[in-house]
Amino acid sequence: MPRKPASTETDVLIAGGGMAGLSLALALAQGGLSSTVVDALAPETVTDAGFDGRVSALAYAVCRMYRALGVWPHMAHHAQPINDIVVTDGTVRGGASPLFLHFDHREIGEEPLGHLVENRHIRLALFAAARDVSAITLIAPGRVTGYSATPDGVTGTLADGRQVHARLLAVCEGRQSALRAMAGIRTIGWSYRQTGIVTTVAHEKPHHGVAQEFFLPSGPFAILPMTGNRASLVWTERTELADALLALDAEDFAAELRARFGDYLGAVEPVGPRWSYPLSLQIATDMIAERVALVGDAAHGIHPIAGQGLNLGLRDVAALAEVMAQARGLGLDPGAFDTLERYAQWRRFDTVSLAAVTDVLNRLFSNDIGPVRLVRDVGLWAAGQAAPLRRFFMRHAGGDVGDLPKLLRGDSLAA
């Protein structure tokens, strides 16, 4: 992807070149639209092994999109299929409840429920796919410091004084977006007073592609299978306890980790650095303004309890690219407000409903109240006995329900 000065004119100015921003640029290019992507960090910074220790569970519909965009071949050998998901409840000392919920991908087809890929390798794959796409211009490091919108277009001002004229400003710069505030879009939400601890472990026995979601009183303890005999842990704790855990030396931290992990995969050893992330809910009151569309974390940040945060943002990408490509194909203005309103309406229910579901699940399972624990254990077991409900949950987690954009069905926008 050529790193050259921004052209004066482009179809879409994308503020933020993370996973959502780069995915949007590729999708727009397939739909016949050019973009200029501006990101605060250089590619070599965001693809460094020490930049981001997280992995993402890419839903199978998102994997279809990445195949359609030509991204998948660049990450396939780093992707671990998710064959099964086991959901259990319990305590650190008491272990897991005998009542649990099991999702087996074979119930809904041959396609895995998704793939686990390290965020670093997702970014590397996106850069590789975009490298030779002439419709994409990357400015990184750089920053969109302001913009002005008119009924005919938008002009973004960069930190170095350059101006980029476009039909749309797509804001993909994350939860703390300054451009969102400039657009007059407010957010609602709250802190969970929880911290997500992320690290990688090596284990003795093969995981067979089984992801574990172990609900403990302080929050979920997710064991996510990676390539080889490795797993990524997303360990949710109350913030005050998380701070104490992160301050432990290597031996004591490993002991606390093993107490929660158990021995079902044999000997377990932390092999990577520790990262931590504060957890909160944040939803924008609207996803659009005049000549502005919010995408990804700029529009919504949810609890990682179901591993759906990135998938939610990539569903934004697929929807926005499609409505803009359709408008272009009809000879209409792809950045006009009626085009953006179609995008907002398409994404509104999915965003609000998933935010509500993850919020309720976190509150229901992040406590140690006896009667509540009994109800949720029985609920997990009952859901596991109802095959239609179980299959619906799997399809929903895979992003394969509702009115899907073309890319999430695996179809090209160029067709």
Side-chain angles (χ1 to χ4, degrees):
M1 180 166 49
R3 289 202 285 167
K4 55 188 178 182
S7 59
T8 302
E9 300 287 340
T10 190
D11 288 322
V12 183
L13 172 58
I14 301 176
M19 292 182 283
L22 285 173
S23 298
L24 179 60
L26 285 163
L28 290 169
Q30 191 177 87
L33 295 156
S34 63
S35 64
T36 296
V37 183
V38 182
D39 193 71
L41 300 175
E44 55 268 25
T45 298
V46 298
T47 56
D48 183 81
F51 178 74
D52 184 355
R54 291 170 292 184
V55 303
S56 290
L58 300 178
Y60 62 81
V62 164
C63 295
R64 292 176 195 157
M65 180 177 84
Y66 277 153
R67 290 187 182 97
L69 293 175
V71 179
W72 189 252
H74 299 289
M75 71 168 78
H77 59 294
H78 295 292
Q80 168 60 50
I82 305 171
N83 296 320
D84 296 69
I85 301 174
V86 177
V87 184
T88 54
D89 188 22
T91 63
V92 175
R93 292 187 178 182
S97 165
L99 303 177
F100 61 91
L101 176 58
H102 177 211
F103 298 117
D104 184 335
H105 78 285
R106 292 171 296 185
E107 282 197 69
I108 57 173
E110 295 302 314
E111 200 170 13
L113 296 172
H115 286 78
L116 267 299
V117 187
E118 294 170 68
N119 286 2
R120 171 174 174 256
H121 290 300
I122 297 174
R123 292 189 178 96
L124 284 167
L126 289 165
F127 282 120
R131 187 171 294 121
D132 298 320
V133 179
S134 61
I136 301 173
T137 300
L138 174 67
I139 300 175
R143 189 163 58 91
V144 182
T145 57
Y147 79 93
S148 59
T150 70
D152 299 320
V154 62
T155 298
T157 301
L158 308 190
D160 62 5
R162 283 181 287 178
Q163 292 189 327
V164 180
H165 306 287
R167 299 186 184 199
L168 176 73
L169 170 62
V171 179
C172 307
E173 58 183 359
R175 291 193 182 205
Q176 306 305 317
S177 172
L179 293 171
R180 180 186 61 217
M182 290 180 196
I185 300 175
R186 297 178 297 106
T187 63
I188 56 174
W190 44 82
S191 169
Y192 287 113
R193 299 180 182 177
Q194 294 173 317
T195 294
I197 301 171
V198 177
T199 193
T200 300
V201 299
H203 44 79
E204 183 181 7
K205 300 177 183 178
H207 49 58
H208 301 297
V210 179
Q212 302 271 351
E213 187 83 70
F214 184 23
F215 288 110
L216 295 168
S218 57
F221 185 87
I223 302 172
L224 308 175
M226 300 171 67
T227 52
N229 279 14
R230 299 182 303 150
S232 175
L233 303 187
V234 182
W235 174 357
T236 304
E237 285 286 356
R238 293 183 297 275
T239 295
E240 61 273 16
L241 181 55
D243 291 340
L245 289 166
L246 289 164
L248 294 174
D249 61 28
E251 183 178 345
D252 289 340
F253 181 80
E256 291 289 345
L257 183 153
R258 293 186 187 108
R260 292 157 177 79
F261 196 106
D263 59 1
Y264 77 102
L265 291 179
V268 177
E269 188 67 34
V271 293
R274 311 169 200 172
W275 285 271
S276 64
Y277 305 90
L279 304 182
S280 63
L281 174 70
Q282 179 178 287
I283 302 293
T285 55
D286 207 337
M287 295 185 72
I288 60 171
E290 185 178 36
R291 296 286 168 178
V292 175
L294 305 185
V295 177
D297 285 354
H300 41 67
I302 63 174
H303 197 283
I305 193 168
Q308 289 295 313
L310 177 59
N311 292 308
L312 191 63
L314 294 178
R315 294 201 287 272
D316 294 345
V317 165
L320 180 59
E322 184 165 329
V323 299
M324 294 191 72
Q326 286 177 343
R328 174 188 173 276
L330 293 170
L332 303 175
D333 184 348
F337 195 81
D338 55 349
T339 302
L340 300 185
E341 183 59 30
R342 288 180 55 217
Y343 163 65
Q345 290 177 353
W346 202 351
R347 297 299 305 132
R348 190 168 290 129
F349 178 76
D350 185 29
T351 297
V352 173
S353 60
L354 188 56
V357 167
T358 55
D359 184 71
V360 169
L361 283 175
N362 184 57
R363 295 177 187 278
L364 177 64
F365 282 92
S366 296
N367 65 73
D368 199 24
I369 303 170
V372 175
R373 183 190 298 155
L374 177 61
V375 169
R376 67 197 185 206
D377 285 358
V378 172
L380 284 176
W381 175 83
Q385 304 308 301
L389 183 60
R390 194 171 59 238
R391 288 192 288 268
F392 172 78
F393 285 155
M394 283 189 280
R395 291 187 60 237
H396 197 284
D400 200 22
V401 296
D403 181 15
L404 294 183
K406 286 183 177 180
L407 286 171
L408 295 177
R409 299 196 302 265
D411 298 330
S412 171
L413 289 180

